[in-house]
Each structure stands twice: as structure tokens, then as C-alpha cells.
Amino acid sequence: MSEEQKVQEELQEQLDTETPVDAADATATESADDQLAGALQEVAELKEQVLRVQAEMQNVRRRAELDVEKAHKFGVEKFANEMLATVDNLERALAAAVADDEATKAIRKGVEMTLSGLVAGLEKFKVESVDPVGSAFNPEFHQAMAMVENPDAAPNTVIAVMQKGYTLQGRLLRPAMVVVSKGAPQIDESA
């Protein structure tokens, strides 16, 4: 007999002489398998929970960044709103001052300089005026104060501005108060 055959026979004899696995060992193996399956399931659940927490943290971080960006972008909104009344008053002062009067010429020039400085300062912070004369009425940026029949203008066209509107970074601060044209009355020629 060869060496290999001898080794195989010895192994076979050892297997035959060994005692079979008793029931307690089988139960312990099954219990260990159950514990392993439970642990793997718990690990999978914890991984999923960690991923959810990470996603939530990213969402919170993104929302916070957007809030900070909006605060920077629109932080001057209240201040700009208060300055609009000053701009309106300076424009009214210019409209009321007679341009040819020598007595008020210096005052008029000072008011013009003050107004231009204030408007330039507001423009630095992206506050822009909405002066829509001749454009179509847009309820998002205009507030209709009156409708007037005007045969020269198309219906729903702004024909006069009572008070300019303003936007901040494209967002409405104050709507423009406007007069809107309405269609000319229809004449019934068949009557």
C-alpha cells in the first residue's frame, strides 16, 4: 500500500471511532448562528440609522447656509424700506421746487445731490426702482390705484406712476402705485 492510502485509512478509522456530536453541542451551534444573524441584522439597522443621521446633518447644514446667505442678501431690507420714504420726500421736494427761481436754486441743487447720493447708496445694496410707465401691468410688482380709459394705450398698460416701487435683489420691497389703462368703450354700431 502506498503512503496516501495508509493516511486515508487512518483518517477513516479516526472518524469511525469518534463519538457523534451530542444534542447540546448542536443547540449551542444553532444558538450561536441565531446570535450571529441577530448581530448582523442589528449592525445593518445601525448602519442605516447612521446614514440617516448623516443625511439629516447635511440637510441641516445646507439649510443653515441658505439662511445665512439670505440674511446677508436681505439683511438691509428693513433699513432700505425706511430709506424709501426719504427718497420719496426728496423727489417731492424737487418736483415742488421751481427750477428757474434764483432763490431756491441752491436748495434745489442740494436736494438733487442728496437724492442722488442716497439713491447711489441704495443701489450699492441692490435696491432698484420699479418705474413701469408704458409697460404691461404686472400684479407682482405693481399696485393698480386707478383704471382710466385711454384710446392711445393698450388695455392693462401702465400709463402713470403715482409712487415708484422698489426691489431688493430682485425681491419686491414696495410695489409701484400705478394708473392702468383700460380698453376704450365699445361702440355698438348695430344699434
Side-chain angles (χ1 to χ4, degrees):
M1 260 212 247
S2 71
E3 286 275 330
E4 275 184 38
Q5 288 176 345
K6 286 182 184 178
V7 170
Q8 284 180 351
E9 285 180 10
E10 287 177 12
L11 286 174
Q12 188 62 39
E13 285 178 20
Q14 284 180 355
L15 287 174
D16 291 340
T17 59
E18 285 184 6
T19 59
V21 177
D22 62 344
D25 289 340
T27 306
T29 305
E30 288 175 12
S31 175
D33 289 343
D34 290 344
Q35 287 177 351
L36 178 61
L40 289 174
Q41 182 179 358
E42 186 177 344
V43 166
E45 289 171 0
L46 290 174
K47 278 184 180 179
E48 183 178 334
Q49 189 176 15
V50 166
L51 289 174
R52 286 177 191 241
V53 167
Q54 286 176 341
E56 181 64 27
M57 291 304 297
Q58 286 177 347
N59 288 340
V60 167
R61 188 178 304 119
R62 196 174 314 123
R63 279 193 299 262
E65 288 171 358
L66 288 173
D67 288 346
V68 168
E69 182 181 321
K70 283 182 182 178
H72 286 290
K73 199 173 188 180
F74 301 112
V76 296
E77 184 173 7
K78 289 181 182 177
F79 177 74
N81 245 338
E82 293 297 320
M83 291 296 102
L84 296 182
T86 305
V87 170
D88 292 339
N89 289 334
L90 291 172
E91 287 175 345
R92 283 187 206 106
L94 285 176
V98 179
D100 296 336
D101 189 8
E102 286 297 321
T104 60
K105 200 171 201 174
I107 293 173
R108 181 176 174 80
K109 185 167 176 109
V111 171
E112 286 174 348
M113 289 173 44
T114 304
L115 177 61
S116 66
L118 182 57
V119 169
L122 289 172
E123 285 175 354
K124 284 182 185 177
F125 293 97
K126 306 288 188 221
V127 176
E128 298 169 354
S129 67
V130 176
D131 194 2
V133 174
S135 65
F137 176 74
N138 182 350
E140 292 180 15
F141 293 102
H142 311 144
Q143 181 177 355
M145 301 307 289
M147 289 190 80
V148 177
E149 289 180 11
N150 187 344
D152 298 334
N156 292 326
T157 300
V158 176
I159 55 175
V161 176
M162 299 171 124
Q163 184 180 45
K164 283 196 266 184
Y166 289 88
T167 61
L168 172 63
Q169 303 265 356
R171 187 161 105 180
L172 186 67
L173 271 178
R174 180 178 81 186
M177 294 181 184
V178 298
V179 177
V180 181
S181 69
K182 63 180 176 179
Q186 299 293 327
I187 300 174
D188 188 10
E189 295 178 7
S190 64

